[in-house]
Amino acid sequence: MDGNASCEESGNIDWDTEDELEIQDIPVSSCSRVMIPGEPVPGTGEASSSKDPSLAKLVHHFVGMGFSEELVAKAIEENGEGNTESILETLLTYSALAEPPQQQQCVNSDKSSSEYDENFLDDLSDTDSWNESKLAENTSSLSDMDKILLSLANMGYTVEEASIAMDRCGPEATIGELTDFICAAQMAKAADAYLQELPTEIKPKLNGKHKKRKYYEYELWKGKRQKGYQKKILDEDSETIRLPKPMIGFGVPSEAFMVPNRTLPEAAIGPPYFYYENVALTPKGVWDTIKRFLYDVEPEFVDSKYFCAAARKRGYIHNLPIENRFPLLPLPPHTIHEALPLTRRWWPSWDERTKLNCLQTCIGSAKLTERIRKSLEDSDDVPSLHVQNYVLNECRKWNLVWVGRNKVAPLEPDEVEMLLGFPKNHTRGGGISRTDRYKSLGNSFQVDTVAYHLSVLKDIFPGGINVLSLFSGIGGAEVALHRIGIPLKTVVSVEISEVNRNIVRCWWEQTNQKGTLIDIADVQELEPDRLEQLMCTFGGFDLVIGGSPCNNLAGSNRHSRDGLEGKESSLFYDYFRILDLVKGMMGSKQ
């Protein structure tokens, strides 16, 4: 999805395009009063003559987030008072490493939920919370879903975030998949913690000493769920479109499942062909609205992990044929070790990742990778379970790969280009910073996935194609069509980012395109008169393609997740407006 999120420096975290996160209001651990340098120590009778108000406010801020007084004092002493981001990162690191192994999620993300069901009941039978007979009485009647919820609560997660994870991941999701989902959401919540004021009352994070409270929370949530069930059914905005599992749409090269007899609504039949993309995980009702506007065409939900070594869950609505698709050749690498063979030498046996998570607009910091190195060097040859868990959690969140003994690093821009299917150095040079490269790539199409869908156009337009590319970004659609072998006769590229327009222009020149490239900065400039003028020049558009910004749709956006009514994501309506104008104009000429 080609949006225009901001990520000016690597220290300013940009979650505009993160599409894996859905959980909100994640509680943090409980805390007590913090000792501020210069403050009197209780019981000593000593008094401080003065106290820095800004320091006190800073300490109070992190205490309010739920960190213990010892960790806050240690983090401030280590990082100084001026760098709140480093303090937060230090606190998160210390908190993760301080948790005992039994409170950490399991390293093996492939373990089934049944394995956890056998263990979590034992954990709940602490004598200071529940005796065995009471525990059996309270859990014997639970359904499998409720047992998994209670199991996640026993691992330290709240029932609310566990239930949301199960709703988004599906009923067949393993405990490992659910904890990965929640872990990613906690990372986003932690990153947002210093960007906005937190509520005055913050629930304490549950741990192994509060089994009874966990069960009470579960029962309280269960009662609320039953009371709100009828209202949820009647809610007109409830999402009726469910994400498939596996997310392979109408078929992928490796799993050639094909939907037979796909029938398009009459209003959707071209010309022109159209192709729209956005994040799969959106607020409820969004894909229903998109579908309704785009002529009631059923979305095709596809995860790019079936095309490359990185996940990218997206929804596509189009009126293209679905028969006789073919993949780009040569096939891209499908695993991390195939894509990044030099990492194999340093990859530890306990890191069982074979695919990377969704590639983002920003990367993990050098300070984070240094903390990971130190935590591993302080361990034995094989790190303890809780250190392994901490390292793997960070590696999954930030797509870190192994580059040396005890050393992890974020992906380089060239590696991200390769994983997304772009040519080498596609975003390099021309005064473009590394930060801009990551931002532009994180907002782009996955070329191999899109090319597979567009491949059906090669036989339809052997002499070339006229394309209206809305929200072009760095030209994912143009690159896909070029790699398929379809000549680009005319491309009207509409993209608000000057950096991205320069990237597309450079690619156009470097690949010796024979057609015409027309740049337009803003989709709102495409009024009927302008469209008619363009179409009269070269005879109309064969394909209208684009993905409107997902800024207000992505699950990680805590500040303005307003759906299609948000400032950026409301530009979807411009995609529909322009497409409908093109259809009307081309239909009147037939």
Side-chain angles (χ1 to χ4, degrees), residues 376-396:
L376 291 171
E377 288 182 347
D378 292 341
S379 305
D380 298 327
D381 289 340
V382 179
S384 63
L385 181 61
H386 72 281
V387 171
Q388 290 181 29
N389 274 318
Y390 162 69
V391 173
L392 285 179
N393 286 341
E394 298 300 329
C395 287
R396 290 190 184 103

Side-chain angles (χ1 to χ4, degrees), residues 269-285:
I269 299 173
Y273 288 106
F274 65 87
Y275 186 88
Y276 175 81
E277 178 258 19
N278 216 313
V279 293
L281 296 172
T282 63
K284 291 184 177 180

Side-chain angles (χ1 to χ4, degrees), residues 434-542:
R434 281 171 57 89
T435 299
D436 282 336
R437 292 183 72 186
Y438 284 119
K439 175 183 171 183
S440 296
L441 287 162
N443 283 320
S444 72
F445 287 148
Q446 205 288 321
V447 172
D448 299 275
T449 309
V450 173
Y452 183 67
H453 297 159
L454 299 181
S455 62
V456 296
L457 297 176
K458 185 171 184 179
D459 291 337
I460 299 174
F461 300 104
I465 191 170
N466 294 327
V467 180
L468 175 55
S469 179
L470 304 176
F471 316 103
S472 294
I474 57 175
E478 292 86 335
V479 172
L481 290 166
H482 174 69
R483 290 189 61 192
I484 293 168
I486 302 176
L488 299 174
K489 294 195 298 184
T490 304
V491 173
V492 177
S493 174
V494 187
E495 169 58 38
I496 198 168
S497 167
E498 183 178 1
V499 167
N500 290 345
R501 293 199 303 271
N502 290 338
I503 290 173
V504 174
R505 173 64 66 179
C506 289
W507 171 83
W508 188 271
E509 295 170 353
Q510 290 169 0
T511 52
N512 297 316
Q513 298 294 325
K514 305 302 183 184
T516 302
L517 174 65
I518 301 172
D519 288 329
I520 298 177
D522 193 341
V523 291
Q524 295 179 359
E525 295 179 19
L526 284 180
E527 296 294 340
D529 291 345
R530 183 78 183 274
L531 273 172
E532 187 172 11
Q533 179 187 10
L534 288 169
M535 293 171 65
C536 288
T537 303
F538 49 83
F541 293 108
D542 303 310

